[in-house]
Amino acid sequence: MKVYSVLLPFVFSCCSLAQGIPSDRVLGVEDLKHFLKDDVKSEIAREESITEEQLADYFRKMFSERFFYDHTTFNQRFSQYNKLYQNTEVHKTGALDHLGKYADSTQWVLPFNYLNGEEVNAYALRHLARQHKMADIIFLYFKEGRNPKYIRYFENQLRSLNTALELGKYEKIEDGNGVYEVFRSGYRILNWLWIHNMILNESEYSDQDQLVTIATLLQHGQHLYERNDGFRSGNHQTRGMSALAILSILLSDFEGTDLWYDRAMQRLGEHLDKEINEDGFQFERSVHYHMSDISNYFYVYQLAKRNQIEVGEEWTVKLRGLFSTLVKIAYPDKSAPVLQDDTDTPWAEKNNISEAMTLGYLLFEDPEFGYFASNKVDARMYWFLNQSQVESLHTIKREKPIYGSLAFADTHYYIMREGWNPNDKMLIVSAGLDDEKPDHQHGDMLGIQAMANGRAILPNYQVRYSLSDFQLFKNSMVKNVALVDNELQGKQWTSNKGGSGFGKFKSLPKPEVITWSTNNEFDVFVGSHDGFENLGVEYTRQVVFIKDDFWIVKDNFSADAPHEYKQVWQGHYTLEKGPDLIRATEADASGHDILQLVPVDTVVNSGARGKHWSVVSKKNQRNFSFLTVIYPYRGYNNRIDETKDEVVCRGWNVNDTTWEMKGNKPTSLSKKNSFYFFGVRGLIQKDVRIRFSSETDVFMLDNEKELQIHALGVEPTVLTITYPTGKKVKKKLMPGEAWNLLFEE
């Protein structure tokens, strides 16, 4: 068994070997035999007598042994695929779209026009370069009685790129839309390999056609090898190096491909090391790109297992951790929140992670992964599984996770979780910013999303780069955040080089996590960001989960001049008590109330693309704190009763406590022997007095002879306890810290 480490040393002395295969032109079919390794030449025949037929036959045999599945079983696999996925119309639509836009011998450099005369834009060219709809055309070949024109179309389009390469008439990388850019080249390689293996048994796909494809893939591989001699941050290089590793295994018969493998695995190892945070989250903080990385590593890991090549233990640990991360962030209904640039389903409020988790189950047979798995993978990924894996999905072992509230300390996502029953509550706080590549980050600093009763009650929305309002949906007006005046968090919007539609903010707030703490009574997150410093406003947010009832969000603003302070809440709301109580109700009579415990001034409803949000405002203030209850409920009788003056939230009484509060309009929530106090300077009960060095927020649990005090505020506070005897005790509490006091003292 061949053994490789993830981080293999770079072998400079052997570079000359890899230079044999050219990267600036495609080898002629007659020249391929000269680049074979000596033992391969001997296995086929004497070099001078290796025929085109022998070479093609040899590679058909090698692909049947090395590829993800044996191409000689294609007919059975195709029949099984059609029964499982029933997506003939999907493939037909994609195929006809591509065929209707591009000639088989298309151009590969802008400007040029579609077949209908309209101009091809940069976004479309990038997708042409990926060739992701070419597989649809091959599916059409099989569905339309093996009409040879579809294979001819594939061959001619592949050859047209080779001709463009030879003539230099293709989009260059430095122009921003490079056809041979590492991501697009890697994507194209995967699609062409998929197609190649599908039609290897077809008479229309002649020996020469097959060898032209192999020669083209060799040029692609050498091009990737030569231009990736150093690490470059981001998923683009990862996709390209995944493809290079696959090529190096499938085409290991050629001189220099061992160096391809070494380089690909070295680069991938660096990406695993540098871009998968220690907490297991992909550094771009997006579920979409997290799952994209899973697929990049899956292809290589899967093919290595198929070919009995071992990778290093650190690779396995990191890859497994990517799946565990999806478990940890999952909503109780087995979906996942929308985080940053999630793009698969524009305007969707959740992410489907079942297909990704199915891959995790296939690799590791972990029943916790199986809990989220489906009986089938993504339709594309089906063609990269072996038959035993496909069949194993009928007997998945499933085990409900046991994760509770937790933090991703490096990526800075914070999960407040009730449990794993479908109607349980969960909230996630976003409080991170990648300093290397924040391209896919949204204007959602300290933003929250929440799930309750099987629905995303405070949603975020998936986006699409090509849509005209991408900038709107990437910025703060469609997040659950706090704002000042007309200022949004994302600033200095800029399109990417090449103008394909993707864009990013040059300036985003820098966050600071002040505290995160979790216990049996509550979870608390406290953080700040500098997004309003240009306005002279300091800002902090506190989020408290009163288990397992509801959340409290406190937004604090401080400035020398008056401003309008705002909270933005996503959802369809009606005003039940002016701006102080707004409500969203679902079809099954579940819903949630947003209750302001400190009166506000106005609420304005707005929306776009069928999505709605409400902006609650307090105007003309220097210093102000929103104190907001996010209250999920099921059924009419369980809502906050807007007809009553006394507010009760699932047994918690507002401003009805046995403790006398001191301060500037302090607020309390109390239930039996549990108390939450906000904006207090002092507390008095009988002869016990508690004084705080500054206005603060605390939780107290009164257990007869013992008093537990937890600091929930933004700043450290010094407590002074005065007992009936006159004895005083002082204690400094940092945010999130607790102190247990015995009354006998």
Side-chain angles (χ1 to χ4, degrees):
M1 181 179 286
K2 203 171 185 179
V3 180
Y4 289 93
S5 171
V6 175
L7 295 175
L8 292 172
F10 185 69
V11 187
F12 288 96
S13 60
C14 297
C15 284
S16 58
L17 291 175
Q19 299 305 314
I21 297 171
S23 65
D24 58 351
R25 63 183 178 87
V26 176
L27 292 170
V29 168
E30 67 281 0
D31 295 323
L32 286 174
K33 61 186 178 182
H34 302 304
F35 293 85
L36 294 169
K37 294 175 179 176
D38 290 340
D39 60 333
V40 176
K41 295 174 184 175
S42 300
E43 183 178 345
I44 300 174
R46 294 197 318 275
E47 179 183 350
E48 60 272 14
S49 63
I50 295 176
T51 65
E52 188 176 287
E53 181 181 5
Q54 288 174 318
L55 195 56
D57 184 65
Y58 173 79
F59 279 110
R60 281 192 292 272
K61 179 175 181 292
M62 290 301 100
F63 264 73
S64 72
E65 296 174 1
R66 294 175 186 164
F67 195 71
F68 296 86
Y69 73 95
D70 182 353
H71 66 83
T72 63
T73 68
F74 173 78
N75 288 335
Q76 302 97 293
R77 295 274 302 211
F78 186 63
S79 175
Q80 182 183 49
Y81 174 84
N82 288 330
K83 290 178 182 177
L84 276 173
Y85 296 95
Q86 300 182 12
N87 55 2
T88 298
E89 288 304 312
V90 173
H91 290 306
K92 184 176 181 179
T93 299
L96 294 179
D97 178 72
H98 192 94
L99 291 165
K101 287 178 176 177
Y102 305 104
D104 54 359
S105 55
T106 186
Q107 291 179 228
W108 296 90
V109 62
L110 296 172
F112 70 102
N113 295 335
Y114 293 122
L115 293 175
N116 66 5
E118 294 180 7
E119 186 177 1
V120 176
N121 61 26
Y123 189 82
L125 178 71
R126 290 180 173 211
H127 282 267
L128 169 65
R130 297 180 188 186
Q131 290 282 281
H132 69 287
K133 290 184 179 177
M134 189 60 73
D136 293 323
I137 293 171
I138 299 304
F139 278 106
L140 203 59
Y141 163 80
F142 288 106
K143 279 296 182 180
E144 293 195 356
R146 286 176 158 80
N147 190 327
K149 71 177 183 179
Y150 296 119
I151 289 182
R152 292 265 72 86
Y153 184 94
F154 161 64
E155 294 164 353
N156 289 339
Q157 196 151 98
L158 179 148
R159 285 179 167 90
S160 74
L161 179 58
N162 294 344
T163 300
L165 173 68
E166 184 177 351
L167 298 175
K169 293 183 177 180
Y170 60 93
E171 285 287 330
K172 309 300 191 300
I173 294 173
E174 54 270 21
D175 297 326
N177 297 309
V179 172
Y180 288 95
E181 185 269 338
V182 59
F183 178 87
R184 290 182 278 280
S185 187
Y187 209 127
R188 184 166 62 249
I189 288 167
L190 277 172
N191 286 325
W192 283 353
L193 283 171
W194 178 12
I195 292 167
H196 178 71
N197 210 62
M198 288 174 72
I199 59 177
L200 267 179
N201 303 313
E202 301 302 307
S203 58
E204 183 61 31
Y205 195 41
S206 68
D207 289 347
Q208 185 177 67
D209 294 333
Q210 294 170 30
L211 294 177
V212 168
T213 299
I214 288 173
T216 303
L217 293 171
L218 285 172
Q219 177 269 320
H220 276 59
Q222 185 63 18
H223 192 279
L224 286 173
Y225 171 79
E226 291 176 5
R227 286 157 180 80
N228 288 277
D229 57 351
F231 173 82
R232 294 198 301 277
S233 178
N235 65 298
H236 280 225
Q237 188 178 63
T238 312
R239 172 55 60 91
M241 292 301 93
S242 174
L244 182 61
I246 292 169
L247 283 182
S248 71
I249 295 171
L250 295 176
L251 302 178
S252 58
D253 317 272
F254 291 95
E255 292 285 359
T257 53
D258 290 345
L259 295 180
W260 292 6
Y261 187 93
D262 290 355
R263 177 159 293 175
M265 295 302 279
Q266 182 180 17
R267 292 289 89 81
L268 289 172
E270 290 167 344
H271 281 270
L272 278 167
D273 181 55
K274 297 178 180 180
E275 295 184 344
I276 308 302
N277 293 333
E278 287 300 314
D279 59 25
F281 217 113
Q282 202 264 1
F283 80 116
E284 292 176 286
R285 308 183 71 249
S286 157
V287 175
H288 173 93
Y289 287 97
H290 186 96
M291 292 196 295
S292 177
D293 259 12
I294 282 176
S295 66
N296 289 332
Y297 298 119
F298 174 85
Y299 289 124
V300 179
Y301 196 84
Q302 171 87 340
L303 197 63
K305 286 176 65 178
R306 161 86 161 150
N307 288 272
Q308 297 185 307
I309 300 171
E310 288 188 355
V311 296
E313 179 64 21
E314 61 269 41
W315 176 292
T316 303
V317 170
K318 284 275 191 175
L319 181 56
R320 186 175 190 131
L322 288 170
F323 295 105
S324 295
T325 290
L326 292 179
V327 176
K328 293 174 182 176
I329 68 168
Y331 280 145
D333 70 347
K334 303 182 184 180
S335 67
V338 174
L339 301 172
Q340 316 310 325
D341 273 356
D342 290 340
T343 67
D344 285 342
T345 314
W347 314 319
E349 298 178 358
K350 296 186 286 188
N351 272 297
N352 182 352
I353 60 172
S354 64
E355 290 165 345
M357 295 307 299
T358 306
L359 298 180
Y361 180 78
L362 289 173
L363 290 183
F364 300 107
E365 297 182 359
D366 187 331
E368 191 174 78
F369 298 165
Y371 180 76
F372 299 89
S374 168
N375 65 352
K376 59 184 180 182
V377 295
D378 174 76
R380 171 195 178 91
M381 196 61 74
Y382 169 88
W383 298 101
F384 297 91
L385 301 182
N386 60 51
Q387 187 59 29
S388 64
Q389 288 176 316
V390 174
E391 292 172 357
S392 73
L393 295 179
H394 297 296
T395 56
I396 297 173
K397 296 178 181 178
R398 305 178 190 273
E399 186 176 294
K400 187 180 290 188
I402 59 173
Y403 293 111
S405 299
L406 54 84
F408 288 88
D410 303 301
T411 314
H412 296 299
Y413 284 122
Y414 299 85
I415 312 291
M416 299 177 175
R417 185 185 300 279
E418 177 181 5
W420 288 96
N421 294 320
N423 289 326
D424 282 349
K425 292 178 278 294
M426 186 190 124
L427 180 143
I428 182 169
V429 182
S430 176
L433 179 69
D434 185 77
D435 57 356
E436 293 293 329
K437 191 173 179 285
D439 297 19
H440 296 292
Q441 184 95 14
H442 287 209
D444 74 334
M445 196 60 64
L446 305 192
I448 62 175
Q449 295 178 61
M451 159 74 71
N453 300 316
R455 291 181 174 83
I457 63 170
L458 295 177
N460 188 14
Y461 313 112
Q462 293 198 38
V463 297
R464 180 60 55 85
Y465 299 152
S466 59
L467 294 177
S468 59
D469 54 3
F470 173 46
Q471 180 182 354
L472 168 67
F473 273 81
K474 190 161 177 164
N475 216 336
S476 308
M477 197 50 66
V478 291
K479 317 296 173 188
N480 299 291
V481 296
L483 299 174
V484 178
D485 298 333
N486 295 316
E487 194 83 1
L488 299 180
Q489 290 186 17
K491 299 175 179 66
Q492 301 178 58
W493 176 260
T494 179
S495 180
N496 71 317
K497 186 177 181 181
S500 67
F502 173 72
K504 57 189 177 183
F505 301 112
K506 287 186 177 180
S507 175
L508 286 162
K510 292 181 174 58
E512 178 186 352
V513 176
I514 297 170
T515 192
W516 160 259
S517 180
T518 180
N519 56 58
N520 291 333
E521 302 293 334
F522 64 86
D523 302 329
V524 59
F525 167 87
V526 182
S528 67
H529 69 67
D530 63 357
F532 310 123
E533 284 189 357
N534 60 313
L535 300 176
V537 178
E538 294 182 0
Y539 168 71
T540 58
R541 168 167 274 191
Q542 301 156 257
V543 184
V544 180
F545 179 31
I546 299 180
K547 296 182 175 178
D548 289 312
D549 292 333
F550 52 87
W551 297 278
I552 297 174
V553 177
K554 189 179 181 191
D555 288 313
N556 310 291
F557 303 89
S558 177
D560 293 331
H563 293 274
E564 181 179 0
Y565 299 130
K566 302 175 180 178
Q567 288 179 327
V568 186
W569 300 112
Q570 303 303 305
H572 298 254
Y573 295 101
T574 57
L575 279 62
E576 304 305 309
K577 253 187 176 180
D580 291 332
L581 177 60
I582 61 176
R583 174 172 296 150
T585 304
E586 305 296 339
D588 63 355
S590 69
H592 67 283
D593 290 335
I594 298 181
L595 172 68
Q596 302 293 340
L597 297 179
V598 176
V600 296
D601 293 333
T602 62
V603 60
V604 177
N605 294 329
S606 187
R609 299 284 192 180
K611 303 300 181 182
H612 286 248
W613 51 87
S614 294
V615 181
V616 178
S617 297
K618 188 70 173 180
K619 299 180 179 180
N620 198 32
Q621 300 288 308
R622 289 184 172 85
N623 303 314
F624 181 73
S625 292
F626 291 96
L627 186 59
T628 310
V629 173
I630 310 299
Y631 186 85
Y633 65 86
R634 287 186 64 82
Y636 171 82
N637 290 329
N638 298 313
R639 77 198 193 283
I640 294 175
D641 193 339
E642 70 278 8
T643 66
K644 294 182 178 179
D645 293 332
E646 300 81 13
V647 178
V648 180
C649 301
R650 199 165 281 115
W652 290 88
N653 297 294
V654 177
N655 291 331
D656 182 10
T657 174
T658 58
W659 288 83
E660 180 185 348
M661 298 182 291
K662 300 294 185 181
N664 181 23
K665 297 182 180 178
T667 304
S668 71
L669 288 93
S670 57
K671 184 178 183 180
K672 297 181 181 178
N673 63 335
S674 298
F675 307 88
Y676 291 89
F677 297 106
F678 297 92
V680 292
R681 283 298 304 267
L683 295 166
I684 302 172
Q685 188 182 70
K686 299 179 181 177
D687 294 327
V688 176
R689 295 172 176 268
I690 304 174
R691 190 175 76 249
F692 304 99
S693 57
S694 58
E695 192 174 282
T696 192
D697 311 315
V698 296
F699 167 77
M700 293 201 326
L701 185 63
D702 189 346
N703 289 325
E704 295 183 2
K705 296 182 179 180
E706 183 182 53
L707 186 67
Q708 296 180 18
I709 302 178
H710 296 254
L712 306 178
V714 175
E715 301 288 342
T717 187
V718 177
L719 284 75
T720 303
I721 310 293
T722 304
Y723 291 96
T725 61
K727 179 181 177 181
K728 293 184 178 181
V729 179
K730 288 188 177 183
K731 174 72 173 180
K732 183 177 182 179
L733 286 185
M734 303 299 292
E737 285 189 341
W739 188 24
N740 288 8
L741 291 146
L742 295 176
F743 283 127
E744 286 84 355
E745 289 184 89

